[in-house]
Amino acid sequence: MKKRTITLIVNGETFELTVVPNELLLNVLRDRLHLTGTKYGCGVGECGSCTVLLNGKATLACMTLVVSVDGKEITTVEGLGRYDALHPLQQAFLDHSAVQCGFCTPGVLVTAKALLDENPHPSEEEIRQYLRGNLCRCTGYTSIVRAIEAVSKEAGF
Amino acid sequence: MSITIGKGIPKVDAQHKVRGDTIYADDYTVPGMLYGKVLRSRYPAARILALRTARAEHLEGVHAVITAKDIPHNELTARFGQSTSVGVQFEGIYRVMADQEVRYFGEPIALVAAETPELAEQACQMIEVEYQPLEGIFDPVRAMAPGVRQVAEKPQNIASHFKIRKGNVEEAFASADVVVEGAYQVPYQDHAYLEPESGVAWVDEDGTINIRVSSQVIEHFREVAEVLDLPHSRVRYLGTWIGGGFGGKEDITVESFLALLAWKTRRPVKLTYTRAESLLTHSKRHPFFMEYKTGAKKDGQIVAVQARLISDAGSYSALSPWVLLYATVNAAGPYHVDNVWVDSYAVMTNTPITSAFRGFGAPQVNFAYESQMDEISHRLGIDPLELRRRNFLRQGDSLDTGWVYDRPVAISEAAEVAWQALGPKPTSPNPQVAIGHGLGAGMCSYGRLTFLHDTSRSYIKLELDGSAIIRCGVPDLGGGQGHILCQIAAEELGLAIERIKLYITDSQLTPLAGTTTATRQLYMSGNATLKAARILRGRMLEKASGMLSVPVEDLEVQAGKVLSKSQPEKSVGLVPLVNRMSTEGEELFVESQFNAPFTSIPASEVIEGQIHPDYTFGAYAVEVEVNRETGALRVPRIVACFDVGKALNPVIVEGQIEGGGIQGFGYALTEDMKIEKGVIQTPSFAEYLIPTAVDVPDLETILLESGTGLGPYGAKGIGEPPMVSIAPALTNAIYDAVGVRVTSLPATPEKILMGMLAQEEGGG
């Protein structure tokens, strides 16, 4: 397969990569950029564990060919907060114990960020609808919804 | 005053999980790593006539192809952590790979290690397998009959058979005013953890095989060593933070494969299952076929329960005997019944392996006995809560094994609190929609079977700056199994939790703490850690007593210091205290072992006496809305109430109930694993539907704290119990709404609709 050089802006940093046309964004993030926070949960777009922001929109990295996002901005869970300062959603997930095994957490956090960027004060129903593509097997979603609600009620949102 | 106990302190592991920094099994790479792949059977029952691997072996980039003949010990007696034989009733075989015959669709036949995952896959496709299909045995009830083809090595397809013989059921049924009978069926359930099975293995310079793997049981290093015919000391498990387990990572998953491939190639090897591979081939919850008969007096007193339980034990018995035993002991539920007769059978079939899953046999029988209770309540016209209250187990009553339960039981209170919190039934604004309320109560053990003589060990070391290290071999599934040890140590030693380093699951460095299964870690490793912490605390108080000239009895530990209770101005900080201890040669570390109560192995298939250390009791009350035209169901409210003994961290405890409740919701309503002639037809999350955020309501949790548990500070276990009793609460609510008794799970709209149509035809 013919290789191509592309540019990705990941968590604010620019990367030039030579890729083959069938490489998936998920594998490039995990195997080449070592951003392993984005997870493989199903590989076919059914669980949401690989959700990243693509120019601000929640996108499934396992269903995205990396060549199709040439030049675009990607935010992964590692780019949500800074090392010395968590994103308010990350803090709320801690405070509300919305993290159990943590495997779905990166995808859920990224999806929640997309939601609050779009709609800073969603209703419980809107939160649940927005999260419908993110499976969680540990929490039953109650604590996740509460954590997102708490952030949406904070000043500045 | 409590420093950490009873507080909702964020989990130590959540700190790195929210950043995406946690290194799960598949996130780990080792230089020079190869990729493993498993070739699996395309038939549920077949003889392997020929297996040709030469083409695959010669493919460039392939480093190893392994089949059964290459494995030193391909077959072991399946163990359940016990160190002595507990009898043939409980035994089966663990077979690494199929040899001459396959027993289930997806059974491993060959392993490949190659430079890339794609090459490994390609090599698998180049292996030729010639099969001669055999008659598949798929129906466990039929498989019990004499003359049916034998699935496994046992002389018959019945792998295990247990009995309960309490009182005299015949006389009791004759004396009953009402007798209800019913047949119930519960399906497969997949754990559906978000993290597929995964691990990486490599061989050290001294010939030790290291396996970094997502496993609930690091003690499997022993079995893996036996497979390879190596000393136990030459296999080391490095457990990872686990991306969900629920019992599905209790049996060996990828570890034997990884060890074999790394040993043969002397290269690091990674193996991660695809989602479809995980859903198709890992163990499931046992389907049960149950016949129940319950007799009651007019006043509601239950006088007899008779049950026949048949579990589909799948193609390898795995933990089927144990699950069956749990179901048998739970068969009459949290009720005092003088006359109980149970016959239970685990039956082998050519179907997927069935083994451990949260609840471990308790949810199956719970669905049946709580459906029966609901029927009796309707037949006698006694309110469902009141009927149960008249029969709930109380201190001094006996369980179906005859064991007298001499601890306080808060089940009646739990059921009442949940039912009251649900409140009166609202009137439906829409005549098409019927509203129903349902109650489900249950019990679930915590701690392993007492005849398995369970132990756990934990180690604490104080550092000179007043920080500390805990080493404990506790696999953490996300339930706070590791974190809570930090809270216990912080409480006893006056430490700040962020100054404790938790080091878990290294089978050669962490004291072995046993499995993260059976709702046992808080109870076992919590107690081991508490014991270690109290010994260290004793040394601290002793030293402080000398330094402050205050008797030990007058001292207490507070955050960062030890002080006199009567003269609070007399105190010594943790740092000077630890330094003094160090200077004077005191040991700043303790390793402790906690032993659960020990009983003897059941002498026969009749199960009697104490089987578990203790039980957790709880109840669900739910509201459902059923569309009379379509059978569509909505669940606007779920209330859970459990006696957790003591909530050491209430937020974590609530999380266990919320998650377990919704997993039970899926079992009851949405998770419909279709299987045809031994082959799963739903190997994806688009077909096997676990609940999403829009399917479920906020789960309302109420905690009771009786302080009567056997865990630290009176805590009971809460990992598995919330999985029990939500399913019958939901089906009882459906009955309350539209009068349809769903007797097989999941309770799909189709079943509800068919039930309503049958009523109409019956003139109901």
Side-chain angles (χ1 to χ4, degrees):
Chain A
M1 267 184 282
K2 202 165 169 267
K3 291 190 174 175
R4 251 181 75 180
T5 301
I6 60 163
T7 305
L8 295 183
I9 305 142
V10 182
N11 301 331
E13 203 179 328
T14 304
F15 297 89
E16 264 202 8
L17 297 162
T18 304
V19 298
V20 289
N22 68 350
E23 259 181 274
L24 294 168
L25 176 59
L26 175 64
N27 297 346
V28 169
L29 289 172
R30 290 178 55 78
D31 300 338
R32 299 183 59 181
L33 304 184
H34 309 295
L35 293 167
T36 54
T38 306
K39 300 300 181 202
Y40 167 91
C42 71
V44 289
E46 293 165 358
C47 78
S49 301
C50 66
T51 309
V52 296
L53 297 182
L54 179 65
N55 286 354
K57 297 279 173 216
T59 303
L60 298 171
C62 81
M63 302 288 280
T64 305
L65 290 171
V66 73
V67 291
S68 73
V69 297
D70 186 6
K72 295 195 173 149
E73 275 188 42
I74 290 147
T75 306
T76 68
V77 66
E78 291 94 341
L80 283 188
R82 294 196 320 272
Y83 205 82
D84 54 352
L86 292 176
H87 186 277
L89 278 165
Q90 291 172 316
Q91 187 60 49
F93 272 53
L94 275 181
D95 296 340
H96 293 264
S97 202
V99 181
Q100 288 192 29
C101 87
F103 202 81
C104 75
T105 305
V108 173
L109 279 168
V110 166
T111 305
K113 170 148 176 26
L115 163 65
L116 295 186
D117 287 347
E118 235 174 71
N119 176 4
H121 303 290
S123 65
E124 184 193 330
E125 184 55 28
E126 286 169 328
I127 294 172
R128 288 183 175 276
Q129 285 295 341
Y130 210 89
L131 288 177
R132 69 182 309 156
N134 290 83
L135 298 178
C136 172
R137 192 56 156 169
C138 296
T139 65
Y141 306 102
T142 297
S143 55
I144 291 175
V145 172
R146 265 188 228 137
I148 297 170
E149 275 176 337
V151 174
S152 79
K153 284 175 188 145
E154 276 171 26
F157 262 91
Chain B
M1 193 190 68
S2 141
I3 300 169
T4 59
I5 294 305
K7 296 185 179 165
I9 298 167
K11 292 191 301 171
V12 292
D13 48 303
Q15 309 276 351
H16 47 85
K17 285 174 177 171
V18 294
R19 295 176 198 271
D21 288 342
T22 310
I23 308 295
Y24 295 89
D26 184 64
D27 300 338
Y28 198 67
T29 53
V30 182
M33 194 170 78
L34 302 172
Y35 295 85
K37 186 79 191 166
V38 187
L39 176 74
R40 295 176 178 282
S41 161
R42 306 299 300 163
Y43 290 87
R47 200 156 288 139
I48 299 176
L49 300 178
L51 183 54
R52 287 183 279 271
T53 58
R55 281 180 63 220
E57 283 168 50
H58 291 119
L59 184 67
E60 199 185 330
V62 171
H63 290 254
V65 178
I66 294 175
T67 63
K69 67 172 172 35
D70 306 314
I71 303 176
H73 294 142
N74 187 43
E75 270 181 30
L76 304 176
T77 299
R79 290 254 166 90
F80 191 35
Q82 75 276 20
S83 41
T84 50
S85 170
V86 288
V88 70
Q89 274 280 66
F90 293 104
E91 281 173 6
I93 60 161
Y94 163 60
R95 183 177 284 151
V96 183
M97 275 192 283
D99 187 12
Q100 301 179 38
E101 192 175 311
V102 292
R103 284 191 198 171
Y104 72 100
F105 182 91
E107 183 165 1
I109 294 176
L111 302 172
V112 171
E115 295 285 343
T116 66
E118 293 77 16
L119 266 178
E121 169 90 51
Q122 196 189 334
C124 278
Q125 286 168 7
M126 291 166 75
I127 297 170
E128 294 159 45
V129 191
E130 243 177 74
Y131 298 97
Q132 181 193 31
L134 297 169
E135 181 204 2
I137 306 300
F138 304 121
D139 176 355
V141 179
R142 209 175 69 78
M144 291 172 73
V148 176
R149 194 180 76 81
Q150 229 171 282
V151 172
E153 299 74 15
K154 301 245 178 189
Q156 50 177 358
N157 285 327
I158 298 172
S160 302
H161 173 32
F162 298 116
K163 299 173 182 172
I164 294 287
R165 299 286 184 265
K166 183 187 183 190
N168 184 331
V169 284
E170 229 169 277
E171 277 177 18
F173 280 121
S175 77
D177 296 311
V178 54
V179 174
V180 297
E181 289 184 69
Y184 305 90
Q185 202 175 324
V186 285
Y188 287 101
Q189 187 180 23
D190 193 281
H191 310 78
Y193 25 71
L194 269 293
E195 176 200 41
E197 296 78 353
S198 179
V200 181
W202 63 94
V203 182
D204 267 355
E205 62 276 11
D206 70 356
T208 301
I209 303 177
N210 291 262
I211 312 172
R212 196 178 182 284
V213 64
S214 174
S215 169
Q216 294 178 232
V217 183
I218 63 169
E219 286 80 357
H220 283 319
F221 73 88
R222 299 183 180 120
E223 278 134 295
V224 174
E226 284 166 26
V227 166
L228 279 102
D229 201 17
L230 292 171
H232 289 182
S233 59
R234 282 286 185 250
V235 174
R236 176 189 186 197
Y237 263 53
L238 292 157
T240 60
W241 295 96
I242 299 164
F246 315 112
K249 293 169 185 168
E250 176 167 351
D251 296 298
I252 289 176
T253 62
V254 294
E255 304 98 293
S256 300
F257 305 151
L258 283 169
L260 285 161
L261 291 170
W263 188 249
K264 180 153 187 195
T265 61
R266 295 289 164 146
R267 293 266 298 266
V269 182
K270 177 187 277 193
L271 173 56
T272 301
Y273 287 173
T274 64
R275 176 56 59 186
E277 188 175 17
S278 172
L279 284 167
L280 282 171
T281 67
H282 82 234
S283 65
K284 314 290 173 225
R285 186 188 298 285
H286 294 80
F288 267 55
F289 301 82
M290 302 173 283
E291 288 166 6
Y292 260 76
K293 184 174 165 187
T294 307
K297 295 281 195 190
K298 264 191 222 117
D299 64 1
Q301 186 204 345
I302 307 295
V303 292
V305 170
Q306 185 165 6
R308 186 165 188 264
L309 315 173
I310 297 169
S311 100
D312 189 337
S315 44
Y316 286 89
S317 56
L319 303 182
S320 299
W322 310 96
V323 172
L324 187 75
L325 178 63
Y326 275 57
T328 308
V329 172
N330 275 275
Y335 301 105
H336 175 77
V337 187
D338 280 326
N339 307 287
V340 185
W341 176 289
V342 183
D343 279 300
S344 63
Y345 305 86
V347 187
M348 310 291 293
T349 56
N350 293 111
T351 56
I353 293 175
T354 40
S355 195
F357 195 143
R358 192 182 209 168
F360 209 81
Q364 286 96 332
V365 289
N366 171 261
F367 173 63
Y369 68 70
E370 281 299 85
S371 297
Q372 293 260 291
M373 288 301 279
D374 205 56
E375 289 232 6
I376 290 170
S377 115
H378 286 281
R379 285 276 290 276
L380 291 175
I382 302 174
D383 167 85
L385 173 66
E386 183 53 34
L387 176 76
R388 285 171 175 80
R389 271 209 302 227
R390 291 179 192 175
N391 291 285
F392 274 136
L393 194 74
R394 280 175 307 229
Q395 184 165 14
D397 288 344
S398 62
L399 296 173
D400 72 358
T401 61
W403 183 46
V404 174
Y405 190 80
D406 60 4
R407 313 179 66 75
V409 193
I411 180 69
S412 190
E413 199 181 343
E416 192 173 333
V417 167
W419 194 243
Q420 301 300 344
L422 189 66
K425 203 158 53 173
T427 29
S428 176
N430 178 353
Q432 278 312 329
V433 173
I435 296 178
H437 277 186
L439 181 64
M443 62 187 255
C444 186
S445 54
Y446 63 93
R448 302 187 83 201
L449 296 158
T450 42
F451 65 87
L452 291 175
H453 296 192
D454 196 15
T455 65
S456 170
R457 288 186 287 135
S458 185
Y459 167 100
I460 308 176
K461 177 175 186 285
L462 289 168
E463 294 296 335
L464 294 181
D465 65 348
S467 64
I469 295 172
I470 297 175
R471 298 203 311 235
C472 184
V474 50
D476 190 298
L477 309 182
Q481 289 91 356
H483 166 86
I484 204 65
L485 307 183
C486 298
Q487 271 193 232
I488 291 168
E491 176 74 21
E492 295 297 321
L493 303 174
L495 302 172
I497 209 152
E498 53 275 15
R499 292 178 71 80
I500 300 175
K501 158 69 189 177
L502 176 66
Y503 186 70
I504 60 173
T505 55
D506 177 335
S507 67
Q508 296 197 337
L509 277 179
T510 53
L512 292 178
T515 63
T516 297
T517 69
T519 309
R520 65 177 286 288
Q521 286 296 4
L522 173 61
Y523 167 44
M524 298 298 299
S525 300
N527 273 330
T529 303
L530 183 65
K531 189 174 166 188
R534 288 199 167 150
I535 293 170
L536 264 183
R537 177 192 168 101
R539 289 182 197 157
M540 283 162 55
L541 293 181
E542 194 70 38
K543 188 59 61 186
S545 167
M547 290 169 78
L548 299 172
S549 305
V550 170
V552 166
E553 308 74 60
D554 187 37
L555 290 172
E556 68 174 3
V557 175
Q558 282 190 7
K561 62 184 173 192
V562 173
L563 80 172
S564 158
K565 286 184 250 181
S566 59
Q567 311 161 71
E569 70 282 2
K570 284 196 165 182
S571 73
V572 55
L574 196 57
V575 176
L577 178 60
V578 171
N579 278 277
R580 177 72 76 89
M581 289 168 73
S582 171
T583 306
E584 296 181 2
E586 299 285 352
E587 291 182 2
L588 294 175
F589 56 89
V590 174
E591 182 174 324
S592 289
Q593 172 162 323
F594 177 76
N595 294 344
F598 291 180
T599 59
S600 49
I601 297 163
S604 77
E605 71 275 14
V606 179
I607 304 302
E608 290 176 317
Q610 180 173 14
I611 293 297
H612 294 110
D614 193 16
Y615 298 88
T616 298
F617 301 93
Y620 283 92
V622 304
E623 183 169 301
V624 302
E625 296 174 359
V626 185
N627 187 307
R628 293 182 200 276
E629 239 173 13
T630 63
L633 187 71
R634 205 177 79 85
V635 182
R637 288 191 65 201
I638 302 172
V639 184
C641 183
F642 282 79
D643 173 19
V644 300
K646 169 81 183 163
L648 304 197
N649 182 322
V651 190
I652 295 178
V653 172
E654 284 166 9
Q656 286 303 300
I657 297 173
E658 290 158 7
I662 296 309
Q663 205 164 38
F665 176 105
Y667 183 53
L669 302 180
T670 66
E671 296 178 29
D672 203 357
M673 182 154 275
K674 300 278 190 207
I675 180 159
E676 269 175 39
K677 295 198 184 306
V679 185
I680 291 167
Q681 307 293 311
T682 50
S684 75
F685 288 145
E687 297 151 301
Y688 182 71
L689 304 177
I690 66 172
T692 70
V694 294
D695 299 324
V696 300
D698 242 26
L699 199 141
E700 303 160 49
T701 302
I702 304 166
L703 305 182
L704 299 182
E705 296 185 279
S706 65
T708 61
L710 301 176
Y713 314 101
K716 292 191 167 210
I718 195 63
E720 294 174 275
M723 178 70 219
V724 184
S725 75
I726 183 166
L730 288 161
T731 51
N732 291 343
I734 293 167
Y735 184 85
D736 184 50
V738 292
V740 172
R741 173 71 55 199
V742 178
T743 54
S744 73
L745 297 180
T748 57
E750 187 185 358
K751 285 180 194 165
I752 299 168
L753 182 62
M754 295 309 278
M756 290 191 291
L757 292 175
Q759 274 175 346
E760 275 174 31
E761 277 167 20

